[in-house]
């Protein structure tokens, strides 16, 4: 029987987020790592990610601890059919089962020699993991994927000492443009944000934003009428229709390393300036990130409080109020399903 969990507990939030797929590294990071194994942390759980070295790409995600003498498996290396522990050479297959104990070639392999393994998949050049075997949420869509009219640029992942949920809430906060992004995305003399209608469609949270057209945005800016979609609480996809008719996309997933730390994976896409250099576009995003960093990473506590009484909201916080309402519903569903 499932164990009851307390709605206000960190455990409830962890369980809720565990039902979604999260990126843990890029394929490039994994391919260039020694032994094609990488130690990552997702929702406080240490995992080894490996790309097996057989003919077809096969990825593995399992607890990063060898059951023999507890060395991290990420110190070992990938082979065609499993991950070899560096300490005494035990080999663990993609399902987490030990298939080789070199010191005992005639066996037997202990029946208990099974490490917990998780679902893992590659999508958009990222490695995704879902910790909850029972969940059936899809990997969040990236609308630009496969769209030949768009040039896609993968941003450099970055780690911030703040909850993934606070990071995402900042990403969809329309009221901070006039303060944090003066000159890049907003003007100090326009502090009143629009109050978009927020929809729930197919499990997504969606709204649109129509910023002032007379703003002198950089040609590299993601600025214009925009459609925000949040397929899961950690992913934001923004499609922009620029004044010049171009289409751009900004996509970001904040992967919860734990409830106080996140690693953000992101992409940009553009239908204009497709043959131009990416640098000005990347640089613009770098400036925007540098503007966000001090305010977002100085939120105390780092975890996002779900109790509405914990922070003060006003009418103009409509997006974040709805975002938190959605999170509370998801957590309540988790608590109910464990009750
Ligand atoms: S600790 Fe892994 S084989 Fe001994
Ligand atoms: Fe921002």
């Amino acid at each position: 029987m499932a164990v009851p969990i307390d709605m206000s507990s960190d455990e409830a939030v962890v369980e809720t987020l565990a039902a979604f797929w999260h990126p843990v590294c890029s394929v490039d990071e994994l391919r260039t790592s020694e032994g094609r194994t990488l130690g990552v942390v997702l929702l406080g759980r240490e995992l080894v990610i490996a790309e097996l070295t057989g003919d077809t790409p096969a990825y593995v995600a399992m607890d990063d601890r060898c059951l023999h003498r507890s060395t991290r498996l990420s110190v070992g290396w990938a082979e065609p059919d499993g991950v070899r522990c560096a300490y005494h050479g035990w080999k663990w297959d993609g399902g987490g089962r030990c298939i080789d104990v070199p010191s005992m070639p005639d066996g037997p392999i202990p029946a208990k020699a099974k490490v917990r393994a998780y679902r893992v998949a590659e999508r958009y050049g990222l490695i995704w993991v879902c910790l909850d075997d029972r969940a059936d949420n899809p990997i969040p869509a990236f609308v630009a994927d496969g769209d030949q009219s768009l040039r896609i640029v993968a941003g450099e992942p970055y780690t911030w000492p703040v909850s993934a949920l606070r990071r995402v809430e900042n990403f969809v906060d329309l009221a901070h443009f006039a303060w944090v992004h003066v000159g890049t995305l907003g003007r100090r003399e326009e502090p009143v944000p629009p109050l978009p209608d927020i929809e729930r469609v197919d499990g997504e949270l969606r709204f649109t934003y129509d910023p002032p057209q007379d703003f002198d945005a950089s040609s590299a800016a993601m600025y214009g009428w925009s459609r925000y979609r949040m397929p899961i609480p950690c992913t934001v996809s923004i499609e922009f229709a620029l004044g010049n008719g171009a289409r751009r996309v900004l996509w970001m997933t904040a992967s919860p390393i734990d409830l106080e730390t996140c690693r953000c994976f992101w992409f940009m896409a553009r239908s204009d300036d497709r043959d131009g250099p990416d640098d000005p576009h990347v640089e613009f995003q770098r400036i925007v990130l540098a503007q966000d960093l001090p305010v977002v990473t100085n939120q105390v506590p780092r975890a996002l409080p779900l109790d509405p009484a914990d922070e003060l909201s006003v009418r103009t916080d409509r997006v974040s109020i709805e975002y938190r309402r959605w999170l509370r519903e998801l957590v309540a569903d988790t608590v109910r399903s464990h009750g």
Side-chain angles (χ1 to χ4, degrees):
M1 199 185 96
V3 183
I5 50 178
D6 170 6
M7 163 117 184
S8 61
S9 72
D10 288 352
E11 189 191 355
V13 180
V14 167
E15 287 284 330
T16 301
L17 296 180
F20 297 103
W21 289 85
H22 302 282
V24 291
C25 62
S26 69
V27 171
D28 283 350
E29 287 171 321
L30 184 56
R31 292 226 165 119
T32 53
S33 65
E34 202 178 332
R36 292 210 179 185
T37 55
L38 208 57
V40 301
V41 182
L42 178 60
L43 288 166
R45 193 171 282 271
E46 290 193 29
L47 305 175
V48 56
I49 307 296
E51 181 180 16
L52 301 186
T53 54
D55 293 337
T56 47
Y59 299 100
V60 173
M62 52 190 166
D63 282 342
D64 194 8
R65 173 176 166 254
C66 180
L67 293 182
H68 178 224
R69 287 296 176 264
S70 300
T71 290
R72 287 197 177 89
L73 290 169
S74 53
V75 178
W77 57 88
E79 295 189 355
D81 55 348
V83 176
R84 181 76 75 178
C85 178
Y87 198 176
H88 312 91
W90 292 25
K91 179 152 67 175
W92 306 83
D93 73 10
R97 194 166 292 284
C98 182
I99 52 172
D100 187 21
V101 177
S103 65
M104 295 203 306
D106 301 327
I109 293 174
K112 281 187 180 165
K114 181 151 184 344
V115 173
R116 188 165 169 195
Y118 305 90
R119 284 181 291 165
V120 59
E122 183 276 330
R123 196 75 55 84
Y124 326 129
L126 302 176
I127 303 294
W128 297 74
V129 171
C130 182
L131 294 177
D132 184 344
D133 299 335
R134 300 157 306 172
D136 60 356
N137 295 302
I139 291 175
F142 172 40
V143 289
D145 186 48
D147 185 334
Q148 300 302 325
S149 69
L150 296 171
R151 175 176 175 81
I152 298 173
V153 179
E156 190 67 30
Y158 56 92
T159 301
W160 279 8
V162 70
S163 150
L165 304 175
R166 282 211 192 266
R167 172 68 190 114
V168 166
E169 185 181 61
N170 161 254
F171 217 80
V172 296
D173 180 317
L174 303 177
H176 82 298
F177 292 153
W179 295 93
V180 173
H181 300 303
V182 173
T184 47
L185 299 171
R187 286 186 283 232
R188 185 63 54 87
E189 58 274 26
E190 288 174 342
V192 183
L195 297 181
D197 291 328
I198 296 165
E199 292 183 294
R200 301 271 193 95
V201 185
D202 299 335
E204 294 188 3
L205 195 145
R206 296 184 186 174
F207 63 94
T208 62
Y209 171 53
D210 198 5
Q213 290 302 320
D214 63 343
F215 184 73
D216 186 23
S218 153
S219 62
M222 293 279 183
Y223 191 92
W225 183 90
S226 23
R227 184 202 315 275
Y228 283 69
R229 294 174 58 175
M230 306 176 73
I232 69 167
C234 297
T235 298
V236 185
S237 166
I238 317 174
E239 293 169 77
F240 297 84
L242 271 65
N244 65 5
R247 186 172 155 238
R248 293 186 180 172
V249 178
L250 184 60
W251 181 100
M252 190 276 289
T253 286
S255 183
I257 289 177
D258 54 35
L259 295 185
E260 300 190 335
T261 322
C262 63
R263 186 152 193 248
C264 301
F265 297 86
W266 58 288
F267 298 106
M268 294 181 287
R270 61 183 193 267
S271 69
D272 58 326
D273 191 26
R274 294 196 323 170
D275 300 324
D278 295 327
D279 292 358
H281 300 274
V282 174
E283 176 60 12
F284 182 84
Q285 295 306 320
R286 195 195 60 72
I287 292 167
V288 170
L289 283 178
Q291 291 174 328
D292 278 318
L293 179 84
V295 288
V296 177
T297 61
N298 277 294
Q299 289 176 285
V300 183
R302 290 175 178 173
L304 183 122
L306 285 179
D307 184 341
D310 278 358
E311 289 177 350
L312 272 176
S313 295
V314 290
R315 202 165 34 84
T316 43
D317 294 316
R318 181 179 284 177
V319 177
S320 101
I321 289 169
E322 287 306 315
Y323 178 59
R324 291 181 181 202
R325 191 195 312 276
W326 182 33
L327 293 173
R328 277 197 300 277
E329 287 174 15
L330 291 169
V331 173
D333 285 348
T334 304
V335 173
R336 253 193 305 279
S337 70
H338 283 68

